[in-house]
């Protein structure tokens, strides 16, 4: 005979040998006095589904006793996002994990995780008593928005409209390169509509520093012509390496760095400043950022460039967003899937006036 629980407030109380049967042996609920335990609605629903509880009494002895179906519907009406939280809880239980809701007074409730985390999953072999958290899980429906600024360190469980679950690990990336190249200090270029042309660029600027793209062709009789993107040119000008001999359009007598930055804002708006900020920080970390247009990103990165003739595969795709950016889960899944398909790490750079914060998101199989 399986025990019956009683709903008191938002917790289901179970007596008898519940502590030994559910908490000590399988990590369900939290212990109360004696052998009684309290289960969250999600935990109680899972035990009902498995047949380990015979029912849940509502409103004391005079109320009805609900089976899984009615208790699930009642809980969905009473509790925010109950259905998606149950789906993730049940999936992780089926994978063999012990886990707990993160709420004050519950196992896991005092774990060092953010307020938005729904569940904590313990390391295999751990219980709520030991508290070794493996995954702090944040549950997101397919149509919800997800702020980029507060997800680092969390495991994202995205539930789609067909109740399938996709897991993502959100971390802070370690982007540190070893590209040793200092650009020369006397480059001269011409500012065109949306790029800068350097006519007598030293070969090492491209071959060793991987700046720009040579202007070349099968029958070319011109050597040393290098096309720089506005981001590359603005960075070189800000470092004192590039001046302008001429500008196509109204640049006046502005210094090169100001003129190029103004042109970037004219063709791209405020987004240019954010991309430039990220570009410069990547260069400061001895990484080489190049356009990520072919991959739908702002940059791809190379950590160790000795020469373009022996160029390694790029390691990251970087998309620049503003600090208040909120992901649509579908958009996030698309970015991560594309990056994984080309064997790169997907990185989001949240660039604002206070600097750049970094976020890496990748698929996870618990």
């Amino acid at each position: 005979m399986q025990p019956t629980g009683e709903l008191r407030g938002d917790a289901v109380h179970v007596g008898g040998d519940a502590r030994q049967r559910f908490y000590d042996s399988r990590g369900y609920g939290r212990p109360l006095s004696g052998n009684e335990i309290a289960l969250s609605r999600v935990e109680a629903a899972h035990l009902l589904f498995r047949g380990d509880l015979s029912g849940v009494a509502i409103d004391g002895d005079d109320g009805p006793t609900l089976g899984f179906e009615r208790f699930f519907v009642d809980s969905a009406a009473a509790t925010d996002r109950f259905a998606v939280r149950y789906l993730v809880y049940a999936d992780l239980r089926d994978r063999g994990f012990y886990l707990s809701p993160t709420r004050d007074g519950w196992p896991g409730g005092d774990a060092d995780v953010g307020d938005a985390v729904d569940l904590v999953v313990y390391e295999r072999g751990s219980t709520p008593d030991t508290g070794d958290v493996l995954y702090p899980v944040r549950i997101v429906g397919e149509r919800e928005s997800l702020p980029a600024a507060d997800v680092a360190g969390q495991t994202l469980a995205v539930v789609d409209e067909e109740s399938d679950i996709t897991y993502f690990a959100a971390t802070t990336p370690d982007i540190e390169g070893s590209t040793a190249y200092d650009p020369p200090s006397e480059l001269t270029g011409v500012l065109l509509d949306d790029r800068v042309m350097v006519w007598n660029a030293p070969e090492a600027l491209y071959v060793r520093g991987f700046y720009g793209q040579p202007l070349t062709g099968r029958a070319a009789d011109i050597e040393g012509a290098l096309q720089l993107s506005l981001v590359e040119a603005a960075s070189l000008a800000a470092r004192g390496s590039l001046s302008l001999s001429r500008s196509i359009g109204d640049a006046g007598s502005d210094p090169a760095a100001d003129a190029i930055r103004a042109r970037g804002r004219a063709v791209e708006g405020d987004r240019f400043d954010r991309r430039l900020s990220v570009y410069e920080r990547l260069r400061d970390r001895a990484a080489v950022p190049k356009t990520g247009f072919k991959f739908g990103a702002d940059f791809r990165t190379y950590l160790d460039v000795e020469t373009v003739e022996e160029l390694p595969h790029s390691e990251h795709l970087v998309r620049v967003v503003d600090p208040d950016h909120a992901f649509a889960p579908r958009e996030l899944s698309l970015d991560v899937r594309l990056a994984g398909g080309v064997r790169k790490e997907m990185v989001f750079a949240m660039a604002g006036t206070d600097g750049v914060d970094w976020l890496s998101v990748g698929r996870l199989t618990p």
Side-chain angles (χ1 to χ4, degrees):
M1 181 69 178
Q2 304 295 9
T4 299
E6 180 183 344
L7 183 65
R8 301 178 191 172
D10 64 349
V12 175
H13 290 233
V14 185
D17 63 349
R19 175 164 184 155
Q20 291 86 355
R21 183 191 293 231
F22 298 128
Y23 179 76
D24 292 341
S25 64
R26 289 185 281 167
Y28 284 93
R30 60 185 171 91
L32 301 175
S33 60
N35 287 323
E36 189 178 24
I37 66 168
L39 301 167
S40 71
R41 282 182 178 263
V42 166
E43 293 171 307
H46 191 247
L47 289 172
L48 284 169
F49 183 78
R50 290 172 50 89
D52 292 330
L53 283 181
S54 62
V56 174
I58 306 294
D59 299 328
D61 294 336
D62 297 329
T65 297
L66 308 184
F68 173 76
E69 296 86 349
R70 289 184 62 190
F71 181 76
F72 189 96
V73 173
D74 181 85
S75 296
T79 307
D80 184 45
R81 303 166 62 247
F82 175 81
V84 294
R85 293 174 63 236
Y86 173 81
L87 289 169
V88 175
Y89 182 91
D91 180 70
L92 290 167
R93 274 284 181 181
D94 288 346
R95 293 171 185 263
F97 290 104
Y98 287 2
L99 62 156
S100 302
T102 52
R103 196 169 72 222
D104 289 344
W106 290 82
D110 57 355
D112 186 18
V113 295
D115 293 338
V117 169
D118 294 279
L119 305 167
V120 291
V121 177
Y122 303 106
E123 293 181 358
R124 294 191 184 277
S126 297
T127 68
D129 287 329
T130 61
D132 297 325
V133 176
L134 179 60
Y135 302 124
V137 180
R138 180 172 184 168
I139 301 169
V140 186
E142 176 186 343
R143 298 180 179 88
E144 297 180 61
S145 62
L146 182 65
D150 68 345
V151 300
Q154 298 172 3
T155 298
L156 309 177
V158 179
V159 183
D160 68 23
E161 65 180 357
E162 294 186 351
S163 301
D164 284 332
I165 304 166
T166 304
Y167 294 95
F168 300 95
T171 60
T172 301
D174 181 20
I175 304 178
E176 293 292 340
S178 57
T179 301
Y181 177 77
D182 292 322
S185 59
E186 296 183 354
L187 299 170
T188 302
V190 177
L191 176 60
L192 306 178
D193 288 338
D194 62 351
R195 64 204 63 224
V196 169
M197 183 68 71
V198 179
W199 293 111
N200 295 301
E203 183 181 22
L205 186 63
Y206 173 70
V207 173
R208 296 289 306 281
F210 207 9
Y211 283 94
Q213 182 71 24
L215 183 63
T216 186
R218 184 173 299 174
D221 192 37
I222 301 294
E223 295 182 0
L226 192 67
Q227 305 168 83
L228 298 172
S229 72
L230 290 176
V231 167
E232 292 174 311
S235 178
L236 286 169
R239 294 168 186 262
S241 295
L242 176 67
S243 60
L244 296 176
S245 62
R246 185 182 175 191
S247 297
I248 304 301
D250 184 18
S253 59
D254 292 341
D258 294 340
I260 298 168
R261 191 185 290 256
R263 183 64 55 83
R265 292 168 179 160
V267 300
E268 200 173 340
D270 292 342
R271 185 168 172 271
F272 179 80
D273 288 308
R274 293 198 296 271
R275 292 204 312 125
L276 177 59
S277 176
V278 172
Y279 179 93
E280 290 181 324
R281 279 161 176 77
L282 289 168
R283 282 284 183 180
D284 288 342
R285 294 184 175 197
V288 176
K290 298 294 287 184
T291 178
F293 174 79
K294 291 181 180 180
F295 304 101
D298 289 285
F299 302 110
R300 66 190 195 276
T301 66
Y302 299 87
L303 298 183
D304 184 16
V305 176
E306 294 185 3
T307 171
V308 294
E309 281 82 6
E310 299 177 3
L311 199 64
H313 286 291
S314 56
E315 294 88 356
H316 307 89
L317 293 182
V318 180
R319 189 150 77 87
V320 180
V321 298
D322 63 61
D324 298 324
H325 181 74
F327 295 113
R330 186 187 300 272
E331 161 201 18
L332 182 65
S333 179
L334 179 63
D335 284 337
V336 173
R337 173 70 72 176
L338 190 151
V342 292
R343 295 178 296 173
K344 304 183 195 310
E345 181 181 357
M346 190 68 221
V347 173
F348 300 92
M350 293 166 280
T353 56
D354 295 331
V356 178
D357 292 320
W358 306 89
L359 174 68
S360 173
V361 182
R363 287 288 297 269
L364 172 71
T365 300

